[in-house]
Amino acid sequence: MCMSSPSIHQFVDALKQTTLANKRWVPPPGKGSLYLRPLLLGSGPVLGLAPAPEYTFLIYASPVRNYFKEGSAPLNLYVEEDFDRASRRGTGGVKTISNYAPVLMAQIRAKSRGFSDVLYLDSVTKKNLEEVSSCNVFVAKGKCISTPATNGTILAGITRKSVIEIARDHGYQVEERVVAVDELIDADEVFCTGTAVGVAPVGSITYKDRRMEYKTGSGAICQELYNTLLGIQTGVIEDKKGWIVEVD
C-alpha cells in the first residue's frame, strides 16, 4: 500500500493508552468487549494519484456486543456468484477499505433476502471458497478442519491464526488449502472467525438454490474452539501462548 507504518512498540503502546483512556467503557464480564480499531490514513496535502506525503495513525474504541444481529445464534449464509470480494494480485490479503467496499452491494442484497451475510468464491474459477464479507471461513468434516489458504486474496486474520493453533492443540487436523465450494455439501460444520466476529457458528448455507444445514451448539467443534479462545481472553483458561497483554 506504500504507507508508512508505526513500529510494533508504537502500535502496542497506542493500544494500551487507548484502552486506559476508555476503560470506563469496558462492558461487564459476559456483556461484550471494548473493540479497538487501529486506522492508518493518508493525511498529507496531495490530490493526485500518488502515495500521501504524510500519514495519520489513530485508534477507535467502542463497547460492542455480537457483530451479527443474530447474536450467538447460527448464521445463515448465501454463496455469492455475481460479485467478487477480491482478485489475484490485488489487495485481498491486506486489511484496507478496498477489501470491504466491494462487498456492500452483495451484502445488502443477501440481507434483503433474509440471509445473515455472504460467502464469496474465488474470482477466477468460481469453484473455491474465499471469505465471508468480514471474516474467515472454516469447514469441518470429522476430525479434519479446512480453511482457505492465505494466497493473496484472503486476510490472514489473527483470530483465524489463533483458532488454528487451538484446534491443533485439541487434536484436530487443520488444513490450509484450496477448499472447493462442493465440500459444503458433505461438511459436518462450518464456522467463521474474525476480530469482531469471534468464532461464529454457521447453521446453513444456500448455494444454487440448495440449502445445506450444519451442526451447531453443544458438542460442536465451533463451540469447543470458541469456549477455549474466550477462556484464554478472559483469564479463565491459563494463557500458555503469551497472547495476553496486561494493561495497567
Side-chain angles (χ1 to χ4, degrees):
M1 298 300 295
C2 303
M3 303 178 78
S4 302
S5 61
S7 67
I8 293 176
H9 173 75
Q10 290 173 322
F11 183 82
V12 174
D13 184 62
L15 289 172
K16 289 181 176 179
Q17 290 187 46
T18 303
T19 302
L20 288 173
N22 292 276
K23 62 181 180 181
R24 68 187 183 280
W25 297 110
V26 176
K31 299 295 184 181
S33 59
L34 183 69
Y35 183 72
L36 301 177
R37 166 66 71 179
L39 180 65
L40 187 65
L41 58 92
S43 54
V46 59
L47 292 177
L49 182 59
E54 177 183 288
Y55 293 90
T56 297
F57 173 58
L58 55 93
I59 300 173
Y60 288 101
S62 175
V64 296
R65 295 201 69 178
N66 294 89
Y67 178 80
F68 292 104
K69 70 175 184 179
E70 289 84 352
S72 58
L75 304 178
N76 174 25
L77 302 181
Y78 174 77
V79 176
E80 178 59 63
E81 297 181 89
D82 296 332
F83 293 91
D84 296 327
R85 189 194 69 85
S87 59
R88 292 181 182 178
R89 293 178 288 276
T91 58
V94 184
K95 199 173 183 70
T96 69
I97 188 59
S98 59
N99 252 336
Y100 299 98
V103 311
L104 299 180
M105 183 60 71
Q107 194 179 57
I108 290 172
R109 188 172 72 171
K111 290 185 176 182
S112 70
R113 297 173 179 174
F115 296 100
S116 308
D117 211 327
V118 178
L119 175 56
Y120 296 89
L121 303 177
D122 73 285
S123 62
V124 178
T125 70
K126 290 293 186 179
K127 293 181 179 179
N128 304 312
L129 302 182
E130 291 256 300
E131 287 191 358
V132 180
S133 299
S134 61
C135 47
N136 298 110
V137 65
F138 288 76
V139 178
K141 178 70 174 177
K143 294 288 288 185
C144 181
I145 303 173
S146 303
T147 188
T150 52
N151 57 4
T153 60
I154 295 171
L155 285 170
I158 189 61
T159 309
R160 173 186 181 275
K161 181 180 179 182
S162 302
V163 165
I164 288 174
E165 284 195 37
I166 291 172
R168 286 173 174 159
D169 289 345
H170 284 221
Y172 293 101
Q173 176 186 347
V174 182
E175 299 177 347
E176 298 178 74
R177 59 174 176 82
V178 174
V179 181
V181 64
D182 289 340
E183 294 184 45
L184 294 175
I185 298 172
D186 297 321
D188 296 328
E189 289 184 47
V190 177
F191 56 90
C192 302
T193 65
T195 305
V197 172
V199 185
V202 175
S204 68
I205 296 178
T206 299
Y207 174 53
K208 293 186 180 296
D209 296 323
R210 178 177 179 178
R211 179 185 170 98
M212 295 158 285
E213 298 187 349
Y214 306 101
K215 179 180 179 180
T216 61
S218 179
I221 295 172
C222 173
Q223 189 66 46
E224 177 185 354
L225 301 180
Y226 168 78
N227 290 342
T228 302
L229 180 62
L230 183 65
I232 294 173
Q233 292 173 334
T234 57
V236 174
I237 296 175
E238 181 184 358
D239 173 27
K240 297 180 179 180
K241 298 178 178 295
W243 291 348
I244 303 302
V245 176
E246 293 189 8
V247 179
D248 52 25

